[in-house]
Every structure is written in structure tokens, then in C-alpha cells.
Amino acid sequence: MLEIKNLHARIGDAEILKGVTLTIPDGEIHAIMGPNGAGKSTLSYVLSGREGYEVTKGEVIFNGENILEMEPEDRAAAGLFLAFQYPVELPGVGNANFLRTSLNAIRRKRGEEELDAVAFLKLARAAVRQLAMKEDFLKRNVNVGFSGGEKKRNEMLQMAILKPHLAILDETDSGLDIDALKIVAEGVNALRDEKFSALVITHYQRLLDHIVPDVVHVLAGGKIVRSGPASLALELEASGYAGLEVA
Amino acid sequence: MVALPTKKLEAWRYTDLRPLSAVTFGAPPAAAATPDLPDLPFPRFVFLNGVLNAALSSGFAYAKPFVPVEGQGTQPMALINADYAQDGINIEIPAGQDAGELLLISQSDGITPFAFHPRHRVKLGQGAKFALIELNQGEGTYWQNAVFEVEVAEGAKFQHFRLQEESVEAFNTTTIYADIEGQGSYEHFTLTLGARISRTEIEANLLGQNALAHLNAAQLLGGTQHGDFTTIIRHKAPNCPSRQTVKSVLAGKAHAVFQGKIEVDQIAQKTDGYQMSQALLLSPETEMDIKPELQIFADDVKCSHGATIGALDEEQVFYLRSRGIPEAEARQILIRAFLEEALEPVTHDASKALFEEVLESWWTKQ
Ligand SMILES: Nc1ncnc2c1ncn2[C@@H]1O[C@H](COP(=O)(O)OP(=O)(O)OP(=O)(O)O)[C@@H](O)[C@H]1O
Ligand SMILES: [Mg+2]
């Protein structure tokens, strides 16, 4: 379970998050929508521990632990996963190696046994097939020369292999073709169980057709200004965000 | 002795040889230990303290006896070499022959400081092929001041891969003159890890159409090491490509230099010159000097150069950490990736494997 309580965060002098309160119980999928610049990516970065953000107030409890004190790698080991809005290219770092290093780092921290190359490749190949990615994805350098949609799929590949307890998907649907969108949704739905939860940041209803959220939130001006059932997304699609910011 | 160049000379602005001139070099001591020779299936010449060791060397069909120097070259280091050179390899590959690989090993043991000035000649006939793999290693204080005279005839292909892993108290200055005729190619790669001060200086002349020069280097320096890679490529004929990628990883208070000059003669139309220098600075006390210089007298040419200097990309570090990889390991992965890319110009598998091994052990020592 993730509990965000009155979270305030700033970048330099600019206060971006102005009291976000949000609870995602285990097993639930929540969507966040909201205008450009509302602070959605900022929230995802603060949750995953990127440097450069100063939390001035509030707390974030993940499975009973205050994660704001934790290093990004420890948050990942605790089961948090962020699918980046803009996945980062790593020239010279092979995708398979990267994935295996990540998985083993997390397994090590959890006191689990590391996977050897053979066992890992079996797992990775299966995940690649599941996501309908080309085999050579594992051999290529991380995200280097990948198309926009391929980068997003690569994020999903990482998610499938790392099997987080909480996945934050920051506009993973942007730039995806219709087939890829379905594959991403299947990837999320495959992880769905009573222990897994997700925070899906999106601008479009179409992703939510495939990943049906339990709750939809609207983040505007650094705050959650409205929350409602899945139908709220449809409503927003029709009416836009006008009038919501001054809730 | 011809005087050592000082920083007053434009070409030596960034490399201060005063630590070298402060040392008094005597005669080479007798070589003590037998060196650790690499396990590669190639013929070899082994020099111990600058002297050819016949017992450790093997025959090579294309080797000729050493010829005393006739004084080619105008660089100060080459002039000094000409005064003292007493040994070196002299290779002549006849036209059309593929001579395979040759190892040139220099092992030095400077219990007392000594200097040696090898004079090497490599000559390829038309359409010949040859790969020279050089390993320079040692301990203690010494100065290796080598000169290579390289001639690549039409359509010939010479690959030259060098590992400079001299002792960190040693000095290595190497000057290479390469004349490349039409359709011929000279592929050079120096991996610099050793020496207190080192400089590799190459003058490559592209003399006929479609002659090609690849002058690449990687420098991995720490402590107070100084490494200099200086090149002049002269495009003297049309349609010649030249390529240069120089990557430096600097730790501690290390200082690296890359000076790359490209001269394009008036007749050298359709010249295609590319030069890239990338430096990864791992500490704020390091210094990287990059000096690209283009001198173009033809009007239809393509010459580009670029340079990046910086620390690790924090965005990349965070990406790795967000996947559970501890910060220190994340940084290591990124440095290794940079090094991995530095070896990309090494197109020769055995050399590449050797260099990778060397990087690995350099890495574990950091
Ligand atoms: N490094 C920074 N320095 C200053 N302001 C920043 C910085 N990063 C983000 N911001 C600002 O913070 C605000 C929130 O940005 P954020 O990326 O969180 O928005 P978002 O809701 O994800 O928008 P989008 O829907 O366009 O992805 C924006 O106004 C942005 O300009
Ligand atoms: Mg965003």
C-alpha cells in the first residue's frame, strides 16, 4: 500500500507539489490525469527518489516504510518501479546485461539468490516474446537508437522482469501504436494481483480502456483536485480540465 | 643531445617535459626478470630494456636486419632518437603478401634510470597486409623514445595496435611517420594506461586517391599521469577519408591532451575528415586539453570535429539506480560503458580481447 500524505516538493525556488494526498491500497490501479505542467512527472520522480527535488512537507509510506529517506536503489528493492516518461539512453551498456544487473541487485538486497546467465536469459527471452519485441532488443544498447515506442516497450520489459509491487507508469502510452498499447496493458494486467498496485499517469482515455483503473485522480496545480471512478476519465475527455484547478 | 622541447613551442604547449629533463639516464641495466609474455599465437620480437632478446623472440619471415638511421624526421623527439637509435625492427612485406600479425614487445626494468631510442621501420608493398601489435610494459624509471617509419604502398593495409602500459615512473615518447599511397590504409590505435608522461605523435600523409588514415586513441590516466596524443593528417590527394576518435578517462589529478591537426592541400578535393574527442572526468582536479586545427586549402571538402568533456551524466546514474543498482555500481557501469566504446575502433579481434583484459585489470585497480 502506498500512502502519500500532504506532500509538498520544490525544485529550486519553485514549489511544484503543493500538498498531494493519495492512497493506493494493494491490488488497486489508480490513474492520474491532469494538464501539462501540473506536476505529474515531478510526483513520480519524488516517489522514486531522484535528486534535485526538495520535499518540504508531508510523507510517503510504502508498505509501512517512510520511503522519502531511502536511496532510489533501496526503493526499487522495496518494490517500487518507475516507467520513465523519457527513458534514458545508455550507450555502451547492453540491454541484457543491464536487466540482469538490475534484477540481481534487487534480489541481492532482498536476500534472494542471484540468477545465473542461463536462467536469466530464459526469463528475459520469455518476457521479450510476451511483449512482442524483437529478439535483438536484448543485445542492443539500452534504449540507444530505439524508436519512441520501442523505448516504452523496453520500460515494460524491465517491469515484467523486475516484478514490482508498485509500478508508476509515466505516460507509457504516449507514442505507442495501437498494438503496442494493448501489449503494454497486457503487461500491466499480467502483474495484477492482490499484492500489486499501479499508478498510471496518462493524458488519454484509450489506455484506460485496456487497464481499467479503480480510481481516477486529477492532478492540477500541484494538488489532487478531484478523484472518482473510471468513468471520471471519460467525463474529463469530454469536458477538459477547465475549472478544476481552483478546487 | 638535441634539447628537449619546452612549453614555449606551440606543439608542446600542453606537455611539460621538465620532469623528464630532471632525470639523469644511464646505460640500460641488464634485464633481471623474464617478462610475462602474452599468450598469443603470433610471431614476436621481444626487447628487454631496449635490447632485442633473441631467445624470447621468434622468427618472422619478413624481418630484415636493423639499419642505422639516416635522420628522417624533424620533430625534436625524432631528432634525439636519430642521435641514439641502436636497435629496432625492420619489416618489409612484399607486394601482395598477407603477413598476418606480429607482436612487438618492450619490457623494461628501470632499477636505475635508463633511456633507449628504438627506431622501427615498417614497409608494405602494393596490396600487402600486416598487423603490428605492440605491448610496452615495465617497472621503475626509464625513458622509451621510439620512432616508427611507416610506408604503405598502393592498396596495402597496415593495422597498428599499441598498448602503452609503461611503469608510472617511466616516460614514453613515440613519434610515427606514415606515408600512405592511393587505396592504402593505416589504422592506428593507442591505448595509453602507463607512464608518468607520455606522448604519441603521428604524422600521416595521404598521398594518393582513397588513401585512408584512422588515428584513434584511448587514454586512461590517474594519479598525476600525463598523456598526450598529437596528430597531423595531411590530405595531399583527392577523395581521402581520415577518422579519429580519442577517448580519455581521467581520475585523480591526471592531465590529458589531444591535438589533432588536419591539413588539406589545394588538390585534395572531396576530403572527408572526421575527428571526435570525448573525455570523462572522474575528479574535479583533472585537466583535459583539446586542440583541433583545420587548415583547408581545397574548396570541396567535408571536415568535422567535435569534443565533449564532462562528468558522468546524472540522469543516467539515476536511471540505473531506479532499477535497483547501487550508486557506486551504477557509476562503474557507466564508466565501463565509456571505455567499452573507446575500444570500438579496434577492429582486430585478438588485439581487442587483449585490450579488454587490460581494461578489466586497470578497472579493478581503481
Ligand atoms: N528542473 C526544473 N526546474 C524548474 N522547473 C521545473 C523543472 N522540472 C520541472 N519543472 C516545472 O515543474 C512543473 C511540473 O512539471 P512536470 O514535468 O511534473 O509536469 P507534468 O504534469 O508531468 O506535465 P506533462 O503532462 O507535460 O508531462 C512544470 O511547470 C515544469 O516546468
Ligand atoms: Mg510529465
Side-chain angles (χ1 to χ4, degrees), chain B residues 282-315:
Chain B
L282 300 180
S283 111
E285 290 173 284
T286 56
E287 184 177 336
M288 176 82 220
D289 292 303
I290 300 172
K291 187 177 154 202
E293 232 182 315
L294 301 178
Q295 235 177 55
I296 302 175
F297 296 104
D299 43 35
D300 184 14
V301 304
K302 202 169 81 191
C303 276
S304 64
H305 62 84
T308 61
I309 302 181
L312 285 175
D313 181 346
E314 291 304 318
E315 184 92 22

Short mmCIF file of all heavy atoms in Angstrom, two decimals, chain B residues 282-315:
data_model
loop_
_atom_site.label_atom_id
_atom_site.label_comp_id
_atom_site.label_asym_id
_atom_site.label_seq_id
_atom_site.Cartn_x
_atom_site.Cartn_y
_atom_site.Cartn_z
N LEU B 282 36.63 12.12 -13.94
CA LEU B 282 36.10 11.49 -12.74
C LEU B 282 36.43 12.26 -11.47
O LEU B 282 35.97 11.92 -10.40
CB LEU B 282 36.63 10.05 -12.62
CG LEU B 282 36.25 9.14 -13.79
CD1 LEU B 282 36.83 7.75 -13.58
CD2 LEU B 282 34.74 9.07 -13.94
N SER B 283 37.27 13.27 -11.60
CA SER B 283 37.54 14.09 -10.42
C SER B 283 37.70 15.53 -10.88
O SER B 283 38.07 15.80 -12.02
CB SER B 283 38.79 13.57 -9.70
OG SER B 283 39.86 14.49 -9.81
N PRO B 284 37.42 16.48 -9.98
CA PRO B 284 37.47 17.89 -10.38
C PRO B 284 38.89 18.39 -10.60
O PRO B 284 39.08 19.49 -11.13
CB PRO B 284 36.80 18.61 -9.21
CG PRO B 284 36.88 17.67 -8.06
CD PRO B 284 36.91 16.29 -8.62
N GLU B 285 39.89 17.60 -10.20
CA GLU B 285 41.26 18.10 -10.33
C GLU B 285 41.95 17.65 -11.62
O GLU B 285 43.14 17.87 -11.81
CB GLU B 285 42.09 17.65 -9.13
CG GLU B 285 41.69 18.36 -7.86
CD GLU B 285 42.39 17.77 -6.66
OE1 GLU B 285 42.00 16.69 -6.22
OE2 GLU B 285 43.36 18.40 -6.20
N THR B 286 41.21 17.01 -12.49
CA THR B 286 41.81 16.55 -13.74
C THR B 286 41.82 17.68 -14.76
O THR B 286 41.12 18.68 -14.61
CB THR B 286 41.01 15.38 -14.33
OG1 THR B 286 39.66 15.82 -14.49
CG2 THR B 286 41.04 14.17 -13.44
N GLU B 287 42.63 17.49 -15.81
CA GLU B 287 42.66 18.51 -16.85
C GLU B 287 42.68 17.84 -18.23
O GLU B 287 43.38 16.86 -18.45
CB GLU B 287 43.92 19.38 -16.69
CG GLU B 287 43.98 20.53 -17.69
CD GLU B 287 45.20 21.43 -17.48
OE1 GLU B 287 45.74 21.48 -16.38
OE2 GLU B 287 45.61 22.07 -18.48
N MET B 288 41.87 18.38 -19.13
CA MET B 288 41.84 17.86 -20.49
C MET B 288 42.02 19.03 -21.44
O MET B 288 41.26 20.00 -21.38
CB MET B 288 40.49 17.18 -20.73
CG MET B 288 40.28 16.68 -22.15
SD MET B 288 41.05 15.06 -22.45
CE MET B 288 41.71 15.29 -24.09
N ASP B 289 43.02 18.95 -22.28
CA ASP B 289 43.22 20.00 -23.28
C ASP B 289 42.98 19.42 -24.66
O ASP B 289 43.59 18.42 -25.03
CB ASP B 289 44.65 20.56 -23.20
CG ASP B 289 44.87 21.32 -21.91
OD1 ASP B 289 44.12 22.28 -21.66
OD2 ASP B 289 45.77 20.94 -21.13
N ILE B 290 42.10 20.05 -25.40
CA ILE B 290 41.79 19.57 -26.74
C ILE B 290 42.05 20.70 -27.72
O ILE B 290 41.55 21.81 -27.53
CB ILE B 290 40.31 19.16 -26.85
CG1 ILE B 290 40.01 18.04 -25.85
CG2 ILE B 290 39.97 18.70 -28.26
CD1 ILE B 290 38.55 17.70 -25.75
N LYS B 291 42.84 20.39 -28.74
CA LYS B 291 43.11 21.43 -29.72
C LYS B 291 42.94 20.89 -31.14
O LYS B 291 43.86 20.31 -31.71
CB LYS B 291 44.54 21.96 -29.52
CG LYS B 291 44.85 23.16 -30.39
CD LYS B 291 46.24 23.65 -30.07
CE LYS B 291 46.84 24.38 -31.24
NZ LYS B 291 48.30 24.41 -31.14
N PRO B 292 41.76 21.08 -31.70
CA PRO B 292 41.58 20.68 -33.09
C PRO B 292 42.05 21.82 -33.98
O PRO B 292 41.95 22.99 -33.61
CB PRO B 292 40.06 20.50 -33.22
CG PRO B 292 39.47 21.30 -32.10
CD PRO B 292 40.54 21.64 -31.11
N GLU B 293 42.60 21.46 -35.12
CA GLU B 293 43.10 22.51 -36.03
C GLU B 293 42.83 22.07 -37.46
O GLU B 293 43.28 21.01 -37.88
CB GLU B 293 44.61 22.62 -35.83
CG GLU B 293 45.10 24.03 -35.57
CD GLU B 293 46.62 24.03 -35.45
OE1 GLU B 293 47.17 23.16 -34.77
OE2 GLU B 293 47.24 24.91 -36.06
N LEU B 294 42.10 22.88 -38.18
CA LEU B 294 41.84 22.55 -39.58
C LEU B 294 42.51 23.59 -40.46
O LEU B 294 42.34 24.78 -40.25
CB LEU B 294 40.33 22.55 -39.87
CG LEU B 294 39.47 21.60 -39.04
CD1 LEU B 294 37.99 21.76 -39.42
CD2 LEU B 294 39.90 20.16 -39.26
N GLN B 295 43.29 23.09 -41.43
CA GLN B 295 43.92 24.01 -42.37
C GLN B 295 43.52 23.55 -43.76
O GLN B 295 44.04 22.57 -44.27
CB GLN B 295 45.44 23.90 -42.22
CG GLN B 295 46.10 25.24 -41.93
CD GLN B 295 47.57 25.05 -41.71
OE1 GLN B 295 48.25 24.49 -42.56
NE2 GLN B 295 48.08 25.49 -40.57
N ILE B 296 42.56 24.26 -44.34
CA ILE B 296 41.97 23.73 -45.57
C ILE B 296 42.21 24.66 -46.75
O ILE B 296 41.83 25.82 -46.72
CB ILE B 296 40.45 23.52 -45.35
CG1 ILE B 296 40.25 22.56 -44.17
CG2 ILE B 296 39.78 22.97 -46.60
CD1 ILE B 296 38.83 22.35 -43.77
N PHE B 297 42.84 24.11 -47.79
CA PHE B 297 43.09 24.90 -48.99
C PHE B 297 42.29 24.45 -50.20
O PHE B 297 42.40 25.01 -51.27
CB PHE B 297 44.59 24.91 -49.31
CG PHE B 297 45.40 25.58 -48.24
CD1 PHE B 297 46.15 24.84 -47.35
CD2 PHE B 297 45.38 26.97 -48.10
CE1 PHE B 297 46.88 25.46 -46.34
CE2 PHE B 297 46.11 27.60 -47.10
CZ PHE B 297 46.86 26.84 -46.22
N ALA B 298 41.50 23.39 -50.05
CA ALA B 298 40.63 22.94 -51.14
C ALA B 298 39.22 23.45 -50.84
O ALA B 298 38.90 23.77 -49.70
CB ALA B 298 40.65 21.43 -51.22
N ASP B 299 38.35 23.54 -51.88
CA ASP B 299 37.05 24.12 -51.58
C ASP B 299 35.93 23.10 -51.41
O ASP B 299 34.93 23.37 -50.79
CB ASP B 299 36.65 25.19 -52.61
CG ASP B 299 36.96 24.75 -54.02
OD1 ASP B 299 36.83 23.54 -54.29
OD2 ASP B 299 37.35 25.62 -54.84
N ASP B 300 36.12 21.88 -51.91
CA ASP B 300 35.05 20.89 -51.80
C ASP B 300 35.44 19.79 -50.82
O ASP B 300 35.83 18.70 -51.21
CB ASP B 300 34.78 20.31 -53.20
CG ASP B 300 33.61 19.35 -53.19
OD1 ASP B 300 32.87 19.34 -52.19
OD2 ASP B 300 33.46 18.61 -54.17
N VAL B 301 35.38 20.11 -49.55
CA VAL B 301 35.80 19.13 -48.54
C VAL B 301 34.76 19.04 -47.42
O VAL B 301 33.97 19.96 -47.22
CB VAL B 301 37.16 19.51 -47.90
CG1 VAL B 301 38.23 19.67 -48.93
CG2 VAL B 301 37.02 20.77 -47.08
N LYS B 302 34.82 17.92 -46.73
CA LYS B 302 33.95 17.72 -45.57
C LYS B 302 34.86 17.42 -44.38
O LYS B 302 35.49 16.39 -44.35
CB LYS B 302 33.03 16.53 -45.85
CG LYS B 302 31.77 16.50 -45.05
CD LYS B 302 30.80 15.43 -45.59
CE LYS B 302 31.16 14.05 -45.08
NZ LYS B 302 30.46 12.97 -45.74
N CYS B 303 34.96 18.37 -43.47
CA CYS B 303 35.79 18.15 -42.29
C CYS B 303 34.98 18.50 -41.06
O CYS B 303 34.40 19.59 -41.00
CB CYS B 303 37.04 19.02 -42.31
SG CYS B 303 38.38 18.31 -43.26
N SER B 304 34.92 17.61 -40.10
CA SER B 304 34.19 17.96 -38.89
C SER B 304 34.97 17.54 -37.67
O SER B 304 35.74 16.59 -37.71
CB SER B 304 32.83 17.28 -38.89
OG SER B 304 32.99 15.88 -38.83
N HIS B 305 34.79 18.30 -36.62
CA HIS B 305 35.38 17.86 -35.36
C HIS B 305 34.43 18.20 -34.23
O HIS B 305 33.64 19.14 -34.30
CB HIS B 305 36.75 18.46 -35.13
CG HIS B 305 36.75 19.95 -35.04
ND1 HIS B 305 36.48 20.61 -33.87
CD2 HIS B 305 36.96 20.90 -35.98
CE1 HIS B 305 36.54 21.91 -34.10
NE2 HIS B 305 36.83 22.11 -35.37
N GLY B 306 34.47 17.39 -33.20
CA GLY B 306 33.61 17.63 -32.06
C GLY B 306 34.33 17.22 -30.80
O GLY B 306 35.28 16.45 -30.85
N ALA B 307 33.88 17.78 -29.69
CA ALA B 307 34.52 17.44 -28.42
C ALA B 307 33.48 17.49 -27.30
O ALA B 307 32.63 18.37 -27.28
CB ALA B 307 35.65 18.40 -28.12
N THR B 308 33.55 16.53 -26.43
CA THR B 308 32.75 16.60 -25.21
C THR B 308 33.68 16.34 -24.04
O THR B 308 34.56 15.51 -24.11
CB THR B 308 31.62 15.56 -25.18
OG1 THR B 308 32.19 14.25 -25.22
CG2 THR B 308 30.67 15.70 -26.35
N ILE B 309 33.47 17.11 -23.00
CA ILE B 309 34.25 16.91 -21.77
C ILE B 309 33.27 16.98 -20.63
O ILE B 309 32.47 17.91 -20.57
CB ILE B 309 35.28 18.04 -21.57
CG1 ILE B 309 36.23 18.12 -22.76
CG2 ILE B 309 36.06 17.83 -20.28
CD1 ILE B 309 37.30 19.20 -22.62
N GLY B 310 33.29 16.00 -19.75
CA GLY B 310 32.38 16.14 -18.64
C GLY B 310 32.44 15.00 -17.66
O GLY B 310 33.16 14.03 -17.84
N ALA B 311 31.63 15.16 -16.62
CA ALA B 311 31.50 14.11 -15.62
C ALA B 311 30.44 13.13 -16.12
O ALA B 311 29.89 13.29 -17.20
CB ALA B 311 31.10 14.74 -14.29
N LEU B 312 30.13 12.16 -15.31
CA LEU B 312 29.08 11.22 -15.68
C LEU B 312 27.73 11.94 -15.73
O LEU B 312 27.50 12.90 -15.02
CB LEU B 312 28.99 10.10 -14.65
CG LEU B 312 30.09 9.05 -14.68
CD1 LEU B 312 29.92 8.10 -13.51
CD2 LEU B 312 30.09 8.29 -15.99
N ASP B 313 26.86 11.44 -16.58
CA ASP B 313 25.53 12.01 -16.73
C ASP B 313 24.64 11.54 -15.57
O ASP B 313 24.37 10.35 -15.42
CB ASP B 313 24.98 11.51 -18.08
CG ASP B 313 23.60 12.06 -18.37
OD1 ASP B 313 22.96 12.61 -17.44
OD2 ASP B 313 23.16 11.94 -19.52
N GLU B 314 24.21 12.50 -14.75
CA GLU B 314 23.46 12.13 -13.54
C GLU B 314 22.10 11.51 -13.86
O GLU B 314 21.56 10.72 -13.10
CB GLU B 314 23.29 13.35 -12.62
CG GLU B 314 24.58 13.80 -11.97
CD GLU B 314 25.29 12.70 -11.17
OE1 GLU B 314 24.61 11.93 -10.46
OE2 GLU B 314 26.53 12.59 -11.27
N GLU B 315 21.56 11.89 -15.00
CA GLU B 315 20.31 11.31 -15.48
C GLU B 315 20.48 9.78 -15.68
O GLU B 315 19.62 8.99 -15.32
CB GLU B 315 20.01 11.99 -16.83
CG GLU B 315 18.73 11.62 -17.48
CD GLU B 315 17.60 12.56 -17.11
OE1 GLU B 315 17.88 13.70 -16.69
OE2 GLU B 315 16.45 12.12 -17.22
#
